[in-house]
Amino acid sequence: MSSRPSRGAARLAAILDALPDALVLVNANGTVVNANTIALEAFEAPGTALVGRGLLDLLPQFDSRLIPGSMRRPDHIDPRARTKPTRMVARRTDGTEFPVEVTSANLENGQQAYDSYGYTGDELLMLVVRDLSGTVDTEAELARSQRQTEMILRAASEGVVGTDTDGRIVLVNPAAAQILGYRASDLGGRELHTLVLHSRADGSPFPYDESPLADTLRSGRKHRVRGQVLFSKSGDKVPVDLTTAPVRDGDQLVGAVMTFTDRRPYDALVKEQEEAEKRHAEEVERLAEEHASELTALRQQHVTDLEELSEKHAEELAAHEDRYAALGEREKDRYEALAARHEQLLTLLETSLRGPLEELRRELSALAADDAGQLWPEANQVLHHLSAGYSRITTLIDNVLGYQRLDVGTEAVSRTKVMLDAVVASGVDGAVELVGPGRVQFAVHAPPIEAEVDPRLLATALAHLVADVAGVDATGNTPLSAGGYLDNTVVVAAAQRGEVVRIEVRGPYAGGDPVHEPIVRGIVRAHGGVLQTHEVPGMSGSAYVLEVPIGGGAGTVAAEVQAVDAEETAPPAAPDPAAGGAVAIEPAPGGGRRRARRGSTDAFLESEVAGAAGAADDGADASEGAVPTGRRRRRAAQEPAPVPAQAPAEASGGT
């Protein structure tokens, strides 16, 4: 309480403060003079006081005639002003409202319970206020749930009847009352078994102990019965499909629910269908008798026509077999002729053509060496150019022959576990052999990926892809660009995509050469991979996407594993002037091999090879200025260093 009692009333004050309901004392002026702790917590807001407030400010709906000293107090009211619990809305000191239940009573002297510290009133009004905030919500939820249950029961087409443990009806929905021919109000409290389950379908008595309802109420088991008979109010038999289920309150069995479906509409449909089928069978039998002779004649005619068609079909099959046999012989002769010409062409390429070309290349190389120094520089340059052309032609012939052997099955793919950066480097070197030194620049990104492939064949495929997009034909010429300057950089980017290795090759030209592309597709197909072509919007040329399975390889290798290899195999950073084209190779992050590239290739690598290790980091290196990277290995005995002056076709590449 807000004021502490004196002497022996301390215990009473403590008891009142411990009450679960709010206790408020009001004087004859309708002013709150005292309240217990629960009342203060319920009505007071921070910064405001409950004591001193008017009762009607706190309970606007309270009957003011019950306040002590009211002149309007009727005579029939109990002198002690005791009232029954009344629900109304209470208002806190800050104006917020909440539902309460109020009970009031008069006290002759307020000092009997509390020392009011100066209050001298002879009569007080005591109010007990119970907060119903949670109770109202619960009651509303229960009412809503009950309404929802009632709507579901009303909307159900099956009959639903609930019983207590004695088998008396306590719940019935409209569908059940309609099926049984009763009014719902007539069924309450009556025994369900005696009312509708008293007899079997044959009219014999049906004992209550043998009914599924009795067993459900006795044992709590569910029952489902098909073809059960219920009896309506008029005594008619109603065939139904019946289900009984127990109703429990916790672990206690408090009743059962019986649901049933009227089978009369279904039985009527079945009967109607049976009658229709019977009428149909009779009609078919009648028509069969009427048309028996016609049917016999039609069957004989059908047999005759079938025999004639069979003979005609057999003759046509024999004629087709003879024709197809002749076509097969002709196609066989044609295939043998094509195979002979193919074998002759391969022999011509491998023996009659490649041998003399190799011999001629050696003679030209010997002449270009000019040990006596008797040739003019121009003649020496022409001889070097011819020697490189013959070398390119012999390399192309070797690759074509290798592809043909792989295609016809005389050679197979030899898979080994290799590092992808070494295969890419070998492919770039092979491309320089095909297109000639100094023709193109390279931007290469090859992270350390271990794959199980044929390194020789895969490097050959990459070399032909580069030659295809570089636009250099078999004669060593490059098409002229109608728009003026054309960037001759070839981008080679590799990455791992799940269980496959993806290599993208992009160059300034569209590709599609009838020599290069079939070789690449044949090698990729032999590896179980695919080759696709993509157009890059806003940029010239095309991009080839080559994908082959990793196989037994480990995939991307961590940087620690490749650190030693990167130190041992990393070429010098400065370009080699003696090589056919300038090359700059740096160790890539993770121990891979990365060739220098120009900043203009960054966007392609970042967009086309998204997710490749180090793709974003390479842009900083490339933006510092790249060195043209066309490269081929130079052997002193076969390819002497070219003179400084070059033919126009040779000078169009990287410097």
Side-chain angles (χ1 to χ4, degrees):
M1 302 298 289
S2 60
S3 60
R4 306 308 304 163
S6 60
R7 295 182 299 274
R11 179 172 297 179
L12 177 60
I15 293 173
L16 295 177
D17 284 341
L19 289 176
D21 297 328
L23 183 64
V24 179
L25 295 181
V26 180
N27 62 11
N29 295 327
T31 303
V32 176
V33 296
N34 214 333
N36 67 348
T37 302
I38 299 299
L40 297 178
E41 293 176 355
F43 284 94
E44 276 190 350
T48 61
L50 173 62
V51 177
R53 293 270 180 170
L55 175 61
L56 297 181
D57 292 339
L58 302 174
L59 300 172
Q61 300 174 358
F62 186 78
D63 189 356
S64 61
R65 295 178 298 176
L66 299 177
I67 299 175
S70 174
M71 302 300 296
R72 299 180 295 116
R73 187 171 186 177
D75 296 335
H76 64 275
I77 294 181
D78 185 359
R80 299 186 62 84
R82 293 180 178 177
T83 60
K84 295 180 179 180
T86 305
R87 291 192 177 186
M88 60 184 66
V89 176
R91 184 179 298 158
R92 296 185 180 90
T93 55
D94 61 354
T96 58
E97 296 180 347
F98 60 100
V100 295
E101 186 178 73
V102 179
T103 305
S104 63
N106 280 347
L107 296 177
E108 294 182 358
N109 192 340
Q111 297 197 17
Q112 293 179 0
Y114 298 97
D115 183 4
S116 58
Y117 290 91
Y119 173 71
T120 59
D122 294 330
E123 189 175 7
L124 296 176
L125 178 64
M126 181 182 68
L127 293 94
V128 178
V129 183
R130 176 169 295 175
D131 189 351
L132 299 180
S133 299
T135 304
V136 171
D137 295 340
T138 303
E139 291 177 351
E141 180 64 22
L142 290 174
R144 187 193 65 81
S145 178
Q146 183 176 0
R147 288 195 302 270
Q148 185 176 11
T149 303
E150 290 177 355
M151 289 187 293
I152 293 174
L153 290 176
R154 289 180 179 275
S157 60
E158 294 82 3
V160 180
V161 179
T163 69
D164 57 14
T165 54
D166 295 328
R168 297 184 179 276
I169 299 174
V170 296
L171 171 69
V172 60
N173 71 334
Q178 182 181 3
I179 294 173
L180 298 176
Y182 289 92
R183 297 179 61 181
S185 59
D186 297 338
L187 297 175
R190 302 182 66 177
E191 291 185 0
L192 179 61
H193 182 83
T194 305
L195 190 66
V196 298
L197 283 169
H198 51 79
S199 301
R200 292 187 173 90
D202 57 2
S204 60
F206 189 18
Y208 172 75
D209 293 338
E210 298 179 8
S211 66
L213 178 64
D215 185 73
T216 299
L217 291 173
R218 184 170 52 250
S219 63
R221 289 191 294 264
K222 294 182 179 180
H223 290 277
R224 185 171 299 170
V225 183
R226 297 181 61 88
Q228 180 70 44
V229 173
L230 301 181
F231 288 87
S232 65
K233 182 178 181 181
S234 61
D236 296 335
K237 297 178 183 178
V238 181
V240 296
D241 292 334
L242 181 145
T243 302
T244 60
V247 177
R248 300 180 184 275
D249 185 4
D251 295 334
Q252 184 178 1
L253 184 67
V254 296
V257 173
M258 185 179 75
T259 60
F260 52 90
T261 304
D262 190 357
R263 291 182 55 90
R264 287 178 294 185
Y266 173 75
D267 293 341
L269 289 176
V270 172
K271 184 177 180 180
E272 182 179 353
Q273 183 179 2
E274 292 176 352
E275 293 177 354
E277 291 177 353
K278 183 178 179 180
R279 290 194 301 270
H280 177 70
E282 293 174 353
E283 184 68 17
V284 169
E285 184 178 358
R286 184 182 63 81
L287 292 175
E289 293 177 357
E290 292 180 358
H291 301 287
S293 58
E294 297 180 3
L295 289 175
T296 303
L298 288 175
R299 290 193 186 97
Q300 294 177 353
Q301 182 65 32
H302 175 70
V303 172
T304 304
D305 294 342
L306 184 60
E307 292 176 354
E308 294 178 355
L309 289 175
S310 299
E311 294 177 359
K312 183 178 180 181
H313 181 63
E315 294 175 357
E316 291 178 354
L317 285 178
H320 287 317
E321 288 178 356
D322 295 339
R323 185 174 64 181
Y324 290 148
L327 289 175
E329 291 294 333
R330 186 162 62 248
E331 291 298 325
K332 180 180 178 182
D333 295 340
R334 183 181 177 185
Y335 172 77
E336 291 176 352
L338 287 175
R341 287 197 294 271
H342 180 263
E343 185 67 26
Q344 181 185 12
L345 179 60
L346 292 182
T347 304
L348 176 65
L349 289 175
E350 186 174 9
T351 305
S352 303
L353 183 58
R354 191 192 181 288
L357 284 175
E358 181 65 23
E359 183 66 26
L360 185 57
R361 189 190 67 80
R362 286 197 296 268
E363 292 176 358
L364 288 173
S365 298
L367 288 175
D370 191 18
D371 297 332
Q374 298 177 355
L375 295 178
W376 291 94
E378 292 79 1
N380 186 275
Q381 181 180 6
V382 171
L383 289 175
H384 275 290
H385 180 69
L386 291 175
S387 178
Y390 279 112
S391 177
R392 180 169 57 253
I393 293 175
T394 54
T395 301
L396 182 61
I397 291 175
D398 289 341
N399 292 342
V400 171
L401 290 173
Y403 159 67
Q404 293 294 332
R405 297 189 191 99
L406 182 66
D407 189 47
V408 299
T410 56
E411 290 186 4
V413 175
S414 178
R415 299 178 186 269
T416 57
K417 295 181 180 179
V418 295
M419 298 305 297
L420 188 63
D421 53 349
V423 176
V424 172
S426 179
V428 172
D429 293 341
V432 174
E433 294 288 343
L434 289 175
V435 304
R439 293 300 183 92
V440 293
Q441 299 181 105
F442 293 94
V444 180
H445 177 80
I449 301 174
E450 185 185 54
E452 189 177 17
V453 296
D454 190 322
R456 179 183 62 83
L457 291 178
L458 190 58
T460 300
L462 290 176
H464 280 275
L465 272 185
V466 172
D468 195 16
V469 299
V472 179
D473 58 15
T475 63
N477 295 323
T478 304
L480 296 177
S481 175
Y485 172 75
L486 182 64
D487 187 5
N488 64 344
T489 301
V490 174
V491 180
V492 182
Q496 180 180 353
R497 292 291 184 271
E499 297 299 325
V500 300
V501 173
R502 180 178 181 180
I503 304 176
E504 300 190 17
V505 180
R506 180 187 175 276
Y509 294 96
D513 187 273
V515 175
H516 298 302
E517 188 173 353
I519 295 176
V520 179
R521 291 193 181 277
I523 294 175
V524 172
R525 185 170 55 251
H527 278 80
V530 294
L531 178 66
Q532 298 177 342
T533 305
H534 297 277
E535 294 183 358
V536 183
M539 303 180 72
S540 62
S542 297
Y544 281 100
V545 179
L546 182 153
E547 292 185 353
V548 293
I550 292 179
T556 303
V557 180
E560 295 81 6
V561 180
Q562 291 295 318
V564 177
D565 295 340
E567 294 177 359
E568 294 178 354
T569 61
D576 183 8
V583 179
I585 304 177
E586 300 175 358
R593 179 176 300 179
R594 182 182 63 198
R595 296 173 182 262
R597 53 185 171 82
R598 295 187 299 178
S600 61
T601 64
D602 291 346
F604 171 76
L605 289 177
E606 292 173 359
S607 61
E608 295 294 324
V609 197
D617 299 335
D618 293 345
D621 299 338
S623 61
E624 297 177 359
V627 180
T629 57
R631 186 184 74 161
R632 68 183 177 91
R633 292 178 179 154
R634 175 177 172 272
R635 298 176 178 83
Q638 296 181 359
E639 285 191 30
V643 296
Q646 293 185 355
E650 295 285 333
S652 62
T655 59

